């Protein structure tokens, strides 16, 4: 009986912990919104974070986008060939990239690269008392550290997604046309016929939301780090896992809403 | 004047401060001593509002800072500077940017003027030509000096020192102690120093307070502390294993 009670107790405690964590993330998000509109804007810090989150992620996003487009063309060709509909490969790659894979894969790659770095950097600042030093110098750390990172995440993710979409379609074209022998005109024509601006906007809206998730979660985990170097490692891992899972779950609901 | 009135603080079930009462005199250096993990740093963090007590008052210049909102608390914090245990310099900034940080945040001074103030503060702590170095390139003693330069950059009334000599060799310990004495005199500061380094206590302190089991058990001038018959204080100062302080 005691064992059952302990299991229920642990289960309940885990649920309460998760709800508490969600509450904390929400409070941090509201605090970010509040500090975002209070002057001064600290543009230099925002641009520095944009460079880190955006410019420095371009290479990995180009690679991911290109190879995803290439493999989609290969897989699509295999399926469409059964129905003699190979010319649909282009539009399939384009729709898949713009609506789904572009934003999701970009967000996951940026989470791994920049979201983890946010958690590690803020976590180190926390355990070495640099965040306390900001408080002591009458500077709000949310305004100084978190707002620039969240703005950078929300602004740069859609831009990186555009790059991923473009490179994915280009990768699909290079596999589809020169290698698999799909007619170039049919490939491009089907893309322009079947993909409209709405598909791209949906994808970019999702990307902005994913940028918000990865930056708020990364900052939250880093900002609340405890326990020295081990704590920083734990915060970084938790940030990547929580942000990635949240991105994938929210992706379903966003798609369902915008479908 | 800083006044701590009946401060209680617990973390979970662990009671760290159990009714601390202390008055810190203006223009003097008060050293708070006590064993490792005895709540000295916790007490210091209450003085500047980094931690809020479970009950009690922290009065700075007649204002109880416990109940203040963030904006008013920040105004009070501008009266303070603080040297952290490991200096807490910003890793991403060089020495110049670190010391200039509070000036850029809270004043409208021009770059040239800020640079002049930074150089003057660095000179005051015995450093020249290190403006472009990153914190990772500095030794422990130099980091503390830069931390002190940053703490006094805004010409505060009060400077808090969290174990300023921990981890330093005896010569550097003496140099930092001298620096605390000099800076206190030159800038007419109220200093609060947390320490368990017996040598330093009597060098820098005008007043000494002993924190033990969450309470201030002895307070007075260095002479009074030296003459005290309190067994806890006697054991602490002599470093003996025999006595009321149980470490093993």
């Amino acid at each position: 009986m005691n064992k059952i009670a302990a299991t229920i107790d642990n289960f309940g405690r885990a649920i309460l912990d998760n709800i508490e964590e969600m509450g904390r993330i929400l409070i941090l998000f509201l605090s970010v919104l509040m500090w975002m509109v209070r002057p001064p804007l600290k543009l230099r810090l925002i641009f520095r974070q944009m460079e880190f989150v955006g410019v420095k992620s371009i290479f990995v996003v180009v690679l991911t986008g290109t190879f995803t487009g290439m493999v989609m063309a290969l897989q699509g060709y295999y399926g469409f060939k059964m129905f003699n509909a190979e010319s649909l490969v282009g539009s399939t790659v384009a729709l898949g990239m713009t609506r789904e894979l572009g934003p999701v894969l970009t967000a996951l790659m940026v989470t791994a690269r920049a979201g983890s770095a946010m958690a590690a950097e803020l976590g180190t600042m926390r355990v070495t008392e640099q965040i306390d030093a900001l408080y002591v110098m009458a500077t709000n750390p949310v305004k100084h550290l978190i707002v620039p990172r969240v703005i950078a995440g929300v602004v740069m993710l859609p831009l990186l997604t555009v790059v991923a979409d473009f490179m994915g379609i280009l990768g699909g074209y290079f596999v589809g046309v020169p290698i698999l022998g799909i007619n170039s005109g049919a490939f491009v024509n089907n893309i322009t016929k079947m993909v409209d601006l709405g598909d791209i906007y949906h994808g970019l809206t999702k990307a902005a939301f994913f940028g918000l998730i990865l930056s708020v979660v990364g900052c939250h985990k880093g900002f609340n780090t405890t326990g020295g170097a081990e704590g920083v490692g734990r915060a970084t891992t938790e940030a990547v896992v929580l942000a990635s899972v949240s991105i994938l779950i929210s992706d379903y609901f966003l798609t369902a809403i915008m479908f | 004047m800083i006044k701590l009135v009946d401060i209680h603080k617990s973390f979970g079930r662990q009671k760290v401060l159990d009714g601390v009462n202390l008055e810190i005199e203006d223009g003097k250096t008060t050293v708070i001593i006590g064993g490792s993990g005895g709540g000295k740093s916790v007490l210091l963090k209450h003085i500047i509002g980094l931690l809020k007590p479970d009950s009690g008052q922290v009065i700075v210049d007649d204002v109880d800072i416990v109940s203040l909102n963030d904006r008013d608390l920040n105004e009070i914090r501008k009266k303070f500077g603080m040297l952290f245990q490991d200096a807490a310099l910003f890793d991403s900034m060089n020495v110049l940017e670190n010391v200039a940080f509070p000036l850029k945040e809270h004043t409208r001074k021009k770059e040239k003027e800020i640079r002049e103030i930074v150089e003057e503060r660095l000179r005051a702590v015995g450093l020249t030509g290190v403006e472009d170095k990153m914190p990772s390139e500095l030794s422990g003693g130099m980091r503390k000096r830069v931390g002190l330069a940053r703490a006094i950059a805004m010409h505060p009334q009060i400077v808090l020192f969290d174990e300023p000599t921990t981890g330093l060799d005896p010569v550097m310990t003496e140099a930092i102690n001298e620096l605390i004495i000099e800076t206190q005199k030159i800038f007419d500061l109220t200093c609060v120093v947390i320490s368990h380094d017996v040598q330093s206590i009597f060098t820098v302190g005008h007043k000494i307070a002993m924190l033990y089991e969450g309470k201030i058990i002895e307070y007075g001038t260095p002479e009074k502390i030296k003459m005290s018959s309190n067994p806890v204080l006697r054991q602490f100062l002599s470093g003996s294993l025999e006595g009321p302080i149980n470490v093993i």
Side-chain angles (χ1 to χ4, degrees):
Chain A
M1 192 63 196
N2 273 347
K3 215 171 179 183
I4 296 169
T7 311
I8 294 170
D9 184 47
N10 286 338
F11 185 65
R13 206 179 295 274
I15 290 174
L16 285 178
D17 286 349
N18 280 317
I19 292 172
E20 191 184 327
E21 171 128 49
M22 275 158 57
R24 280 209 203 129
I25 293 175
L26 188 66
I27 289 170
L28 179 66
F29 171 62
L30 294 176
S31 164
V32 167
L33 286 184
M34 193 184 78
W35 283 104
M36 204 179 273
V37 293
R38 278 200 205 173
L41 202 53
K42 302 201 176 193
L43 281 174
R44 211 165 63 95
L45 293 176
I46 294 173
F47 285 134
R48 194 184 289 169
Q49 287 304 320
M50 280 180 163
E51 188 207 3
F52 177 70
V53 174
V55 181
K56 292 188 174 168
S57 299
I58 285 179
F59 180 68
V60 71
V61 166
V62 164
L63 269 184
T64 313
T66 308
F67 280 92
T68 305
M70 286 165 75
V71 80
M72 275 183 79
L74 270 182
Q75 296 281 21
Y77 181 79
Y78 177 74
F80 285 124
K81 202 178 166 211
M82 294 179 194
F83 311 100
N84 287 328
E86 296 93 327
S87 61
L88 288 175
V89 166
S91 50
T92 310
V93 171
L95 277 173
M97 286 305 296
T98 53
R99 289 182 67 96
E100 195 57 51
L101 292 175
V104 171
L105 291 180
T106 302
L108 293 178
M109 295 314 288
V110 176
T111 298
R113 209 195 71 80
S116 61
M118 287 177 194
E121 196 178 347
L122 295 194
T124 307
M125 289 186 78
R126 169 64 78 187
V127 299
T128 55
E129 296 184 307
Q130 292 175 51
I131 289 178
D132 282 346
L134 282 172
Y135 280 117
V136 167
M137 287 187 275
T139 298
N140 187 287
V142 173
K143 172 86 181 166
H144 188 78
L145 298 171
I146 301 182
V147 167
R149 284 169 170 81
V150 173
I151 291 178
V154 173
V155 173
M156 296 317 280
L157 252 284
L159 298 180
L160 288 170
T161 301
V162 171
V163 175
D165 291 351
F166 178 74
M167 292 311 296
I169 294 168
L170 207 62
Y173 181 89
F174 277 114
V175 170
V177 177
I179 298 175
L180 300 172
I182 299 168
N183 181 281
S184 166
F187 188 99
V188 176
N189 192 35
N190 269 330
I191 293 178
T192 53
K193 217 160 54 180
M194 293 180 121
V195 180
D196 59 29
L197 276 179
D199 296 316
I200 298 171
Y201 290 151
H202 283 177
L204 298 186
T205 309
K206 281 204 244 181
F209 192 77
F210 297 157
L212 179 69
I213 290 178
L214 77 89
S215 53
V216 171
V217 169
C219 290
H220 161 75
K221 286 291 181 186
F223 198 69
N224 294 300
T225 299
T226 51
E230 194 190 344
V232 175
R234 193 170 51 239
T236 309
T237 309
E238 285 176 2
V240 173
V241 172
L242 182 61
S244 304
V245 170
S246 305
I247 284 166
L248 292 172
I249 293 173
S250 63
D251 180 41
Y252 170 78
F253 290 103
L254 286 172
T255 308
I257 292 166
M258 292 191 289
F259 191 61
Chain B
M1 161 89 76
I2 301 168
K3 208 169 154 186
L4 304 169
V5 184
D6 199 23
I7 302 286
H8 289 259
K9 181 73 180 177
S10 300
F11 294 102
R13 285 179 192 169
Q14 194 189 355
K15 191 141 190 110
V16 180
L17 302 178
D18 189 15
V20 171
N21 288 290
L22 182 65
E23 276 186 29
I24 290 158
E25 288 178 36
D26 286 343
K28 296 267 162 60
T29 299
T30 302
V31 184
I32 300 170
I33 58 174
S36 300
K40 303 188 298 297
S41 292
V42 170
L43 186 60
L44 200 68
K45 285 180 178 177
H46 278 84
I47 295 176
I48 200 162
L50 284 174
L51 289 173
K52 283 196 189 296
D54 298 334
S55 65
Q57 292 176 301
V58 180
I59 297 164
V60 179
D61 289 345
D62 301 324
V63 178
D64 181 7
I65 67 165
V66 175
S67 51
L68 291 182
N69 60 31
D70 284 350
R71 191 173 294 204
D72 293 337
L73 185 57
N74 275 344
E75 285 309 309
I76 295 282
R77 280 176 177 155
K78 287 178 188 168
K79 297 178 180 185
F80 284 85
M82 182 165 174
L83 174 60
F84 287 85
Q85 203 170 336
D86 290 315
L89 300 178
F90 301 125
D91 298 328
S92 56
M93 299 179 190
N94 64 22
V95 168
L96 174 74
E97 290 165 332
N98 261 290
V99 182
F101 185 85
L103 296 163
K104 283 185 178 171
E105 282 288 303
H106 301 298
T107 69
R108 291 175 181 274
K109 294 186 195 303
K110 297 207 171 73
E111 284 288 329
K112 189 169 169 273
E113 204 180 338
I114 288 178
R115 194 177 173 104
E116 281 167 9
I117 295 172
V118 170
E119 284 172 356
E120 193 253 302
R121 294 292 190 269
L122 286 172
R123 266 198 306 276
V125 298
L127 290 172
T128 48
V130 295
E131 289 85 346
D132 297 328
K133 285 193 189 297
M134 297 303 284
S136 57
E137 297 173 272
L138 304 176
S139 68
M142 283 167 95
R143 287 169 68 88
K144 299 232 177 183
R145 283 163 185 253
V146 175
L148 180 55
R150 187 177 68 178
I152 58 172
M154 292 278 285
H155 207 314
Q157 296 171 27
I158 308 153
V159 179
L160 311 179
F161 296 82
D162 190 1
E163 302 198 8
T165 55
T166 299
L168 300 178
D169 65 63
V171 179
M172 187 53 78
T173 297
E174 195 50 40
I176 295 288
N177 285 339
E178 281 300 313
L179 204 54
I180 295 171
I181 295 166
E182 291 269 311
T183 338
Q184 191 271 329
K185 273 189 201 153
I186 294 169
F187 293 92
D188 191 24
L189 299 169
T190 302
C191 293
V192 184
V193 181
I194 293 292
S195 184
H196 48 58
D197 174 9
V198 175
Q199 189 80 30
S200 303
I201 296 163
F202 296 112
T203 314
V204 302
H206 296 116
K207 289 286 169 68
I208 296 168
M210 170 87 187
L211 180 70
Y212 180 67
E213 291 185 339
K215 290 186 173 69
I216 299 292
I217 56 158
E218 195 75 61
Y219 174 76
T221 60
E223 291 70 33
K224 186 186 164 195
I225 293 292
K226 275 180 194 166
M227 303 297 286
S228 169
S229 58
N230 186 311
V232 175
L233 195 53
R234 294 254 53 87
Q235 185 191 355
F236 182 81
L237 296 178
S238 65
S240 164
L241 285 175
E242 302 293 323
I245 306 175
N246 205 352
V247 288
I248 301 171

